[in-house]
Amino acid sequence: MKTTVNHNNNKRKSSSLSDVDINELNNFKARFDDGNFENEINRIRSTLLNDGTEDEIVFDERRVGREFERGNVRKACGPDGIRGKLLKVCAERLCYIFTINFNMSIQQSCIPAIWKTSKIVPVPKKDKVSCMNDLRHIALTSIVMKCFERLVLKKLNLQFGPQSDPLQFAYQPNRSVDDAINLLLNNIYSHLFR
Protein backbone atom coordinates (compact mmCIF):
# COMPACT_ATOMS: atom_id res chain seq x y z
CA MET A 1 0.00 0.00 0.00
CA LYS A 2 2.82 2.40 0.86
CA THR A 3 4.39 1.83 -2.57
CA THR A 4 1.07 2.44 -4.34
CA VAL A 5 0.42 5.79 -2.69
CA ASN A 6 4.10 6.83 -2.86
CA HIS A 7 4.36 7.10 0.93
CA ASN A 8 7.76 8.07 2.27
CA ASN A 9 8.75 7.60 5.91
CA ASN A 10 11.54 10.17 5.54
CA LYS A 11 9.19 13.12 5.68
CA ARG A 12 10.53 16.45 4.57
CA LYS A 13 11.00 18.86 7.43
CA SER A 14 10.11 22.44 6.66
CA SER A 15 9.55 25.22 9.07
CA SER A 16 7.63 27.57 6.83
CA LEU A 17 5.26 27.57 3.90
CA SER A 18 7.80 29.36 1.71
CA ASP A 19 10.03 26.24 1.70
CA VAL A 20 7.34 24.19 -0.08
CA ASP A 21 7.87 23.49 -3.77
CA ILE A 22 4.49 23.99 -5.47
CA ASN A 23 5.29 21.49 -8.25
CA GLU A 24 6.23 18.87 -5.67
CA LEU A 25 2.93 19.47 -3.83
CA ASN A 26 1.01 19.25 -7.10
CA ASN A 27 2.71 15.96 -8.06
CA PHE A 28 2.06 14.60 -4.57
CA LYS A 29 -1.67 15.45 -4.65
CA ALA A 30 -2.28 14.40 -8.29
CA ARG A 31 -0.23 11.20 -8.36
CA PHE A 32 -3.15 8.95 -9.35
CA ASP A 33 -4.29 11.01 -12.35
CA ASP A 34 -3.07 9.79 -15.73
CA GLY A 35 -4.69 12.75 -17.50
CA ASN A 36 -5.92 10.81 -20.55
CA PHE A 37 -9.68 11.19 -20.76
CA GLU A 38 -10.06 11.29 -24.54
CA ASN A 39 -11.76 7.88 -24.83
CA GLU A 40 -14.21 8.73 -22.05
CA ILE A 41 -15.05 12.11 -23.60
CA ASN A 42 -15.65 10.55 -27.03
CA ARG A 43 -17.88 7.86 -25.50
CA ILE A 44 -20.00 10.43 -23.64
CA ARG A 45 -20.21 12.70 -26.68
CA SER A 46 -21.36 9.86 -28.94
CA THR A 47 -23.97 8.85 -26.36
CA LEU A 48 -25.29 12.41 -26.13
CA LEU A 49 -25.41 13.07 -29.85
CA ASN A 50 -26.61 9.65 -31.02
CA ASP A 51 -29.52 9.10 -28.65
CA GLY A 52 -32.10 9.24 -31.43
CA THR A 53 -32.32 13.01 -31.51
CA GLU A 54 -30.41 15.36 -33.73
CA ASP A 55 -29.99 17.98 -31.02
CA GLU A 56 -26.44 19.19 -30.70
CA ILE A 57 -25.19 21.16 -27.79
CA VAL A 58 -24.99 24.73 -29.08
CA PHE A 59 -24.82 27.90 -27.01
CA ASP A 60 -25.99 31.38 -27.94
CA GLU A 61 -24.46 34.70 -26.91
CA ARG A 62 -27.37 35.63 -24.68
CA ARG A 63 -26.94 32.58 -22.43
CA VAL A 64 -23.17 32.92 -22.28
CA GLY A 65 -23.48 36.62 -21.41
CA ARG A 66 -26.04 35.85 -18.70
CA GLU A 67 -23.74 33.21 -17.23
CA PHE A 68 -20.85 35.67 -17.13
CA GLU A 69 -23.03 38.33 -15.50
CA ARG A 70 -24.13 36.05 -12.69
CA GLY A 71 -20.55 35.07 -11.84
CA ASN A 72 -19.08 35.72 -8.42
CA VAL A 73 -16.69 38.68 -8.51
CA ARG A 74 -15.02 37.59 -5.26
CA LYS A 75 -13.73 34.27 -6.64
CA ALA A 76 -9.98 34.03 -7.16
CA CYS A 77 -8.89 33.69 -10.77
CA GLY A 78 -7.40 30.51 -12.13
CA PRO A 79 -4.25 29.99 -14.19
CA ASP A 80 -5.67 31.93 -17.15
CA GLY A 81 -5.73 35.14 -15.05
CA ILE A 82 -9.30 36.07 -16.06
CA ARG A 83 -11.09 37.53 -13.06
CA GLY A 84 -14.78 37.18 -12.30
CA LYS A 85 -15.18 40.95 -12.13
CA LEU A 86 -13.82 41.31 -15.68
CA LEU A 87 -16.30 38.74 -16.99
CA LYS A 88 -19.19 40.36 -15.15
CA VAL A 89 -18.44 43.94 -16.19
CA CYS A 90 -17.49 43.10 -19.80
CA ALA A 91 -19.99 40.26 -20.34
CA GLU A 92 -21.70 42.00 -23.24
CA ARG A 93 -18.41 42.44 -25.13
CA LEU A 94 -16.83 39.08 -24.25
CA CYS A 95 -19.82 36.80 -24.78
CA TYR A 96 -19.40 36.77 -28.58
CA ILE A 97 -15.86 35.39 -28.63
CA PHE A 98 -16.45 32.96 -25.76
CA THR A 99 -19.62 31.66 -27.43
CA ILE A 100 -17.51 30.78 -30.47
CA ASN A 101 -14.92 29.12 -28.21
CA PHE A 102 -17.53 27.14 -26.28
CA ASN A 103 -19.28 25.91 -29.43
CA MET A 104 -15.97 24.94 -31.07
CA SER A 105 -14.95 23.05 -27.91
CA ILE A 106 -18.18 21.04 -28.01
CA GLN A 107 -17.99 20.36 -31.76
CA GLN A 108 -14.35 19.28 -31.68
CA SER A 109 -14.52 17.52 -28.28
CA CYS A 110 -11.48 19.48 -27.26
CA ILE A 111 -11.19 21.94 -24.39
CA PRO A 112 -8.29 24.41 -24.28
CA ALA A 113 -5.55 23.18 -21.95
CA ILE A 114 -5.55 26.36 -19.86
CA TRP A 115 -9.20 25.72 -18.93
CA LYS A 116 -8.38 22.19 -17.73
CA THR A 117 -5.43 23.16 -15.56
CA SER A 118 -5.59 24.59 -12.10
CA LYS A 119 -3.38 26.72 -9.94
CA ILE A 120 -2.54 24.91 -6.70
CA VAL A 121 -2.33 27.13 -3.63
CA PRO A 122 -1.07 25.39 -0.47
CA VAL A 123 -2.83 26.29 2.76
CA PRO A 124 -1.37 24.91 6.00
CA LYS A 125 -3.62 22.76 8.19
CA LYS A 126 -1.40 23.37 11.22
CA ASP A 127 0.75 26.22 12.46
CA LYS A 128 3.98 24.36 11.69
CA VAL A 129 4.32 22.55 8.38
CA SER A 130 6.45 19.43 8.73
CA CYS A 131 5.37 17.33 5.70
CA MET A 132 3.19 17.45 2.60
CA ASN A 133 0.20 16.02 4.47
CA ASP A 134 0.21 19.11 6.69
CA LEU A 135 -0.87 21.17 3.68
CA ARG A 136 -4.35 21.44 2.26
CA HIS A 137 -4.23 22.26 -1.39
CA ILE A 138 -6.74 24.63 -2.92
CA ALA A 139 -7.14 24.21 -6.66
CA LEU A 140 -8.07 27.44 -8.39
CA THR A 141 -9.66 26.65 -11.75
CA SER A 142 -10.59 28.95 -14.58
CA ILE A 143 -13.75 30.99 -14.00
CA VAL A 144 -14.46 30.76 -17.74
CA MET A 145 -14.41 26.96 -17.45
CA LYS A 146 -16.80 27.08 -14.50
CA CYS A 147 -19.24 29.12 -16.61
CA PHE A 148 -18.84 26.64 -19.46
CA GLU A 149 -19.52 23.71 -17.11
CA ARG A 150 -22.70 25.38 -15.81
CA LEU A 151 -23.93 25.92 -19.39
CA VAL A 152 -23.29 22.27 -20.29
CA LEU A 153 -24.95 21.10 -17.07
CA LYS A 154 -28.08 23.13 -17.83
CA LYS A 155 -28.24 21.62 -21.32
CA LEU A 156 -27.79 18.08 -19.97
CA ASN A 157 -30.44 18.63 -17.30
CA LEU A 158 -32.90 19.72 -19.97
CA GLN A 159 -32.22 16.58 -22.01
CA PHE A 160 -31.88 14.00 -19.24
CA GLY A 161 -33.65 15.56 -16.26
CA PRO A 162 -36.98 13.74 -16.73
CA GLN A 163 -35.21 10.35 -16.86
CA SER A 164 -33.24 10.89 -13.64
CA ASP A 165 -33.85 8.69 -10.62
CA PRO A 166 -36.11 10.37 -8.01
CA LEU A 167 -33.82 8.96 -5.30
CA GLN A 168 -30.78 10.69 -6.78
CA PHE A 169 -29.59 13.34 -4.33
CA ALA A 170 -26.10 14.16 -5.63
CA TYR A 171 -25.77 16.82 -8.33
CA GLN A 172 -29.43 17.74 -8.08
CA PRO A 173 -30.67 21.28 -7.42
CA ASN A 174 -32.39 21.83 -4.06
CA ARG A 175 -31.37 18.40 -2.78
CA SER A 176 -28.80 17.56 -0.16
CA VAL A 177 -27.47 14.89 2.16
CA ASP A 178 -30.02 16.04 4.72
CA ASP A 179 -32.82 15.13 2.30
CA ALA A 180 -31.35 11.65 1.83
CA ILE A 181 -31.06 11.14 5.60
CA ASN A 182 -34.62 12.34 6.20
CA LEU A 183 -35.96 9.99 3.53
CA LEU A 184 -34.05 7.06 5.02
CA LEU A 185 -35.26 7.85 8.54
CA ASN A 186 -38.82 8.23 7.29
CA ASN A 187 -38.67 4.81 5.64
CA ILE A 188 -37.21 3.22 8.76
CA TYR A 189 -39.79 4.79 11.08
CA SER A 190 -42.69 3.91 8.77
CA HIS A 191 -41.66 0.22 8.85
CA LEU A 192 -41.09 0.21 12.61
CA PHE A 193 -44.44 1.70 13.58
CA ARG A 194 -46.75 -0.27 11.33
Side-chain angles (χ1 to χ4, degrees), residues 167-186:
L167 298 177
Q168 172 78 27
F169 290 94
Y171 310 111
Q172 298 295 322
N174 303 320
R175 289 195 156 195
S176 67
V177 174
D178 294 335
D179 295 327
I181 292 170
N182 288 336
L183 180 66
L184 176 66
L185 288 174
N186 185 33

Side-chain angles (χ1 to χ4, degrees), residues 116-181:
K116 295 188 285 184
T117 57
S118 59
K119 182 169 49 172
I120 305 295
V121 178
V123 177
K125 295 179 188 176
K126 303 176 181 178
D127 290 338
K128 260 191 168 176
V129 176
S130 61
C131 67
M132 288 293 179
N133 279 331
D134 290 343
L135 295 171
R136 176 180 295 115
H137 72 286
I138 305 296
L140 301 177
T141 56
S142 171
I143 296 175
V144 173
M145 185 62 189
K146 290 177 186 176
C147 293
F148 183 48
E149 289 171 352
R150 284 193 299 264
L151 287 165
V152 171
L153 181 64
K154 286 178 185 175
K155 185 74 170 179
L156 292 177
N157 281 339
L158 285 175
Q159 290 181 354
F160 298 106
Q163 290 94 15
S164 66
D165 186 357
L167 298 177
Q168 172 78 27
F169 290 94
Y171 310 111
Q172 298 295 322
N174 303 320
R175 289 195 156 195
S176 67
V177 174
D178 294 335
D179 295 327
I181 292 170

